[in-house]
Amino acid sequence: MALRLLSTRVVRPFAPALRLAAVRGYATKYYTKEHEWLSVEGDIGTLGITDHAQQSLGDIVFAETPETGDKVEVHSGIGAIESVKAASDIYAPVSGEIVDVNSALADEPSLLNSSPEADGWFAKIKLANHDELKELLDESAYKALCEAEEH
């Protein structure tokens, strides 16, 4: 009886909010042929380089991020990274506005090596056109691309 009372008075009133929170927390991850990832949640896409990219580049020593508020077009250059081996431009996989940048990269660009798909994120973009996501790769297509490059 106590369990039924708990369910009726505590759990049921919050059930719609719990379902909504579960939906909000879901992000979809996309990849580019230039070895960048974009994790999209709502209208915000978090951009970074893939683990494959950081392995190819080697030790990253410098990261140039865009400015918050910058408007970007799909495929436009928005920053750069330099490693002991090479320099590489970062391209916007979607159009939109830069709403946040990872300022920690200025002091610790090695985050791109140690945590490329988490703490080493590059910038956050407010998407202007969700249809541009259709041009990006899903995880299986990206893995196939990496395997093809290795052979």
Side-chain angles (χ1 to χ4, degrees):
M1 184 69 163
L3 184 57
R4 182 178 292 169
L5 186 60
L6 175 69
S7 174
T8 304
R9 291 191 180 163
V10 177
V11 176
R12 282 189 189 156
F14 295 103
L18 293 172
R19 281 193 298 271
L20 186 58
V23 170
R24 276 192 200 140
Y26 180 73
T28 304
K29 200 165 199 178
Y30 300 92
Y31 299 88
T32 70
K33 293 177 182 175
E34 292 78 28
H35 303 287
E36 298 164 349
W37 57 267
L38 184 74
S39 180
V40 178
E41 188 173 346
D43 286 341
I44 305 297
T46 302
L47 173 67
I49 65 168
T50 64
D51 187 54
H52 180 85
Q54 72 83 20
Q55 287 177 10
S56 298
L57 287 167
D59 293 335
I60 297 172
V61 295
F62 176 76
E64 176 187 83
T65 58
E67 296 290 323
T68 301
D70 284 356
K71 304 279 192 234
V72 298
E73 294 295 322
V74 66
H75 306 301
S76 64
I78 62 169
I81 53 178
E82 294 179 17
S83 72
V84 294
K85 291 183 181 178
S88 182
D89 290 327
I90 302 295
Y91 298 98
V94 292
S95 301
E97 179 182 352
I98 303 294
V99 294
D100 196 7
V101 296
N102 189 350
S103 57
L105 295 178
D107 296 327
E108 199 175 350
S110 63
L111 283 173
L112 291 164
N113 289 116
S114 62
S115 185
E117 298 193 35
D119 296 333
W121 61 275
F122 196 74
K124 295 184 185 240
I125 303 171
K126 181 172 178 158
L127 280 64
N129 183 356
H130 282 266
D131 287 338
E132 293 171 343
L133 296 173
K134 295 175 186 173
E135 302 301 316
L136 301 177
L137 307 173
D138 63 12
E139 185 176 4
S140 62
Y142 180 69
K143 284 181 180 179
L145 173 75
C146 293
E147 289 173 5
E149 286 181 358
E150 290 175 3
H151 296 298

